[in-house]
Amino acid sequence: MSAVLDLKLKRANKVYHEGEVLAGVVVITGKEAIQHQGISLTMEGFVNLQLSSKSVGVFEAFYNSVKPIQLINSNIEVAKPGKVPGGKTEIPFEFPLQVKGNKVLYETYHGVFVNIQYTLRCDMRRPLLAKDLSKTCEFMLHCQPQKSKVQPSPVDFIITPETLQNVRERSVLPKFLIRGHLDATNCVITQPLTGELVVESSEVAIKSIELQLVRVETCGCAEGYARDATEIQNIQIAEGDVSHGLPIPIYMVFPRLFTCATLETTNFKVEFEVNVVIVFHDDHLITENFPLKLCRV
Amino acid sequence: MVSVPWHSRVRHYEAELRSCRAAVASVDFGDYHPLKPITVLDSRSRRGGRKGSTSSSSSSSSSVAPDPLSSLLEGTDPLSLFAALSIWSSMAGCKRNINPDTQTCTTREREEEVGLDFEPWAAKRGEILARFTTTEKLSINLFMGSDKSKASSPSSAVSEKVRTRLEELDDLEEGSQREMMNLSQQDYVNRIEDLNQSLKEAWSSDQKVKALKIVIQCSKLLSDTSVIQFYPSKFVLITDILDTFGQLVYDRIWSMCSDPHSLPDTFSAEDVNDTAKETCLNWFFKIASIRELIPRLYVEAAILKCNRFLNNSGIQETVPRLTAMVRGIGDPLVAVYARAYLCRVGMEVTPHLKDSLNKNFFDLLASFRQIHGDAVQNQLVLQRVEVPVYLTLYSPAIHWILQCVAYRASDVLLTEMMERCKKLGNNALLLNSVMWAFRAEFVAARATDFISMIKDCDETGFPKHLLFGSLGRSLACADPPESERLPILNEAWKVITKVRNAQDYITCAEIWVEFTCRHFTKREVNTVLADIIKHMTPDRAFEDAYTELHSVMMKILTYFHNFSVLFSMEKFLPFLDMFQKDSVRVEVCKSIMEVFIKHQQESTRDPVILNALLHVCKTMHDSVNALTVEDEKRSVSLLINGFIRMVSFGRDFEQQLSFCVEARATFCNLEPVIIQLIHTVNQLAIETRRVMGGSHSRKTAAFVRACAAYCFITIPSISNIFSRLHLYLLSGKVALANQCLSQADAFMKAAVSVLPEVPRTIVVEGKQRSSESFLLEFISSFLSTLLVVPDHPEQGVLYLVRGLLNMVQDYTWEDSSDAKVRVYISALPLLAAMSQESYLYTILNVDSNETLYGGDPKFVAEISRLCETLIGQVLDHLKTLGREEGVHRQGSLAFSLFSCLLAHADLRNNKLNQLAVNLWNLSHKNGQCDTRISVRTLEHIKSQAQHSELSHLSDMLLRLSLQSRA
């Protein structure tokens, strides 16, 4: 190995906000001195939109328009052409995270149809006969905390056979009464989703109660749109025939990367929902859906 | 052969003794102890008390006082120093126990919240594993594959194709689903151990995700309640893995923070660097996304301690949340064990967080109905497990929860908890754990209440004998009010005696025996024993209950130290008879004897005790056979000896002798016991002599002869030759002291006749060693005894001495050994002493040779001849040594003969004088002599020469030259 290029950010969690400065070091290790024609850093941010296979046929005309949306692209030079001595060399850098014009930096988000990703790339150009070196690292971007105070807007719910929709044969349904509440539907993304659920009565034994976190991604707006809901995670909160009348806590941590503050732009939307799923012993499945609004404070 | 005529030096023993003795300073025995540091408290009063001490000596004794030992130790000897230390530390311990609830929460104090009196989990672990076993086949279903096949899974309803990385956490090896069926219990344990190993391997090879997967899969096994009897053990095994994992994660993050210097034990979240925090946070995010409830709960509990890295209040917030989370577990058994795990981790990490412990317990009460719910009943029918068995599965977990809750809790809280338990129906299970886990004093004070509650319990549920067992356990540690004791015992025993199953019965009875012994007399204990015998005899049930029966015996022995009371219990011996398996029987007998030896203060003649203990000892003795190991024999002998020493018939000596005769017959296989018996009989003879003031009546004379006869016929049965020799000699002395001349003669003769049998090597402590030094030692001792043994009228002069010397001559000594010659040299002082007019020592009422011969010249001449021969032999030997390599030996032998001559020969005789000088020169010829000794010898001669009758020594001194080492 002749030379290795590495990028190290100062912050362990690699989380930055707009207007902050990415600080870190470029680390070059090699046995001998390395001749180069300049080392530069590039910061890039893109929104990648992808259409679900279901939608492709319908919106073929629309296909071309779904190309990556660039959010940021800037470049600085770390070192002028010259020589790096052998051994380990660390070149510190500071890179301001600034957007040009009126562009907005969305939060980092990894979804199925929408991906928002920020990378920092270091390039070392080298003279003939030597390969250029390059190293990329991802960093997270969190949007600026919301100024206004979040109204938690709690919600109470009762689930009985009567409250259900989309039921084919209401008559075969067992009798049950499940009461509960969510402490907030306007959630702070760093705080867990909390609430309680009480099985007041149930004719049939309960097999499992689960919380399903769902992302709803919408792409395209002007000519039509593709809206897809996919599961992020499924958390079991009760297993087996739980004691009736005893409140069971609802608790779910929002996973990082896969969630972001609820986002609505002209080209795409990222929204979240939670389903309370109750599975009965006879494999009847009941789902109660609650749209969530995530934000950052 | 050079013959040197012998002339003994005339000794004036008394005068010599006077001249040697230092100034007499007698010390009162009352306040003098050699080990005591010497301090003079009141020198004046002590001086008055001293007899024959001059004032100068008394002042010197007080000023010289510093004794080297005590001055080294600065006045306190090490033992008392230790004692003082231990008192101090136990006081400190007490102080700690008194105020455990200090408000300030420094870590030091926090650690002390869990004191030594808290029974740790590790202690329970083994117990559970041993108790909950199964013969049924088990299976491990490790769901390492992604559950694509699960059609009913709600996740598939939303998106079948797309899987996020988070969900992939469930795969260990992609698409594999390992199910191991038909495992025996041992296989199962091994598998779990394998998983534990692979967890450690994965961790050390940096496959953290794989490690997490293993842990998740393992904790998933805890939601499976098939083969329910095994569940508690499964819990133990799997929580071991969780503990390992928790420790690994904690240590890893800890090590990330310890750069550049390690964190203090009392670190707070601010001391933790960002990388470590980030890693820690990652773990929590990963765990928070585990799909199933039970793994998520267990794994988060396992790394609870890591919350300390993130923020200072993390643990306080997490524990209540996890506690609430348990409510989601439907199966009551699974839930209760999850609670137990939480309590365990909670006690370890934050023992001061009592609230969540209490909450755990109250939640348990709230969901208590579940245990008797339909779902459970159906499961039991399916698995063919009976309700009482099922309920006992809960015990370890509830015990543990209650133990944590009750630990140092106030009585108010305990009472409240008890009341809440009371309100529930079917509460036997809880009651049992309450009695088990709450403070014994608390339970004891309310014993009557508990009994009535137990009575109210449902017959079909939790087994009652277990309830009484738990109550008995508490009562064994703490005392109920005095007035309630008898009713409690009556009530309890009423139930216990009705227990049908012998094993259940004895487990319970064993516990209650302690309570009975503690508070009641032999009457009640006797009744209890009778009941136990009644229950255990049918179908030889006792055969399966030896451990419990032994424990019953031990408890009785702990409380009854008076053996006459013990053996007067009618049922005690029948109870003892229940131990029919030899090994157990011997163990029990040993315990009895140990207690007897430890607690019997004075010797006894009580026929009840003697008979019973003789029986007990005989049992032990009879267990000894050819295969018994040496240690076992030794310990049995020790116990029997202890017993024999404790037997005394006071003035009834004949009775005592006949006891010894009986004992000899009974314990004939144990040599140490036989030896002890001979000592006892000898002691008896001496005691008789003391009582008679030295002169026997006809009757006592006959008795001591009987004693001598006893010894004489017993000694030959001993195989150890040196024991035999010493006993002959000792018994001979005793016989002599009792004026049994012919007996003494016989003993001496026997000793001499045994001498040739002494082997050249003997085994000492497992090693072969030359017997020479032992033999020399014995012969010296023997020789010194011979001084007082009068010659037999029908045998020649000095018959025994000659006999001994002949034996020595004929004995096959080791080649290249001077032992024989050394014996000869050591015989010279004896002969010299014998030729004195009055002997150095005599025995009261026994005429020694001095009176028999009255210094007859013929007798003296005989002695001189003997000496001549001996010296001749020695000189011959010296010559042979000169020829060989043995110049060193020659020198030292010559020197010892010289010393002997100096001390015992009349050196005014020219020939002897010349011989002495020659010997001196010989010993110095080769420079083998220790110069210091030579110098000291010369000094001694010089000081001796100052006495008028030894003035000739000064002439000799001139002829002795010190050889300068060239």
Side-chain angles (χ1 to χ4, degrees), chain B residues 514-531:
Chain B
E514 176 140 20
F515 177 71
T516 319
C517 293
R518 209 173 142 108
H519 300 298
F520 299 98
T521 58
K522 71 168 194 183
R523 203 180 123 243
E524 286 81 1
V525 177
N526 196 35
T527 319
V528 167
L529 283 184
D531 196 56

Side-chain angles (χ1 to χ4, degrees), chain A residues 12-13 210 212 215 229-239 241-243 246-247 249 251 253-254 256, chain B residues 154-155 158 164 167 223 274-275 278 282 285 288-294 296 321 324-325 327-330 370:
Chain A
N13 59 4
E210 288 156 27
Q212 190 179 34
R215 51 171 102 78
T230 49
E231 176 188 285
I232 302 176
Q233 67 176 9
N234 193 350
I235 298 281
Q236 190 184 32
I237 57 166
E239 171 169 323
D241 194 14
V242 289
S243 200
L246 207 61
Y251 182 92
V253 178
F254 293 112
R256 296 184 293 189
Chain B
S155 61
V158 181
T164 62
E167 282 164 324
S223 55
D274 284 349
T275 330
E278 188 59 24
N282 249 326
F285 270 112
S289 65
I290 296 174
R291 208 186 91 80
E292 277 99 339
L293 172 67
I294 289 168
R296 192 166 67 243
R321 180 168 60 74
M325 221 162 120
R327 291 177 173 185
I329 302 177
Q370 292 273 98

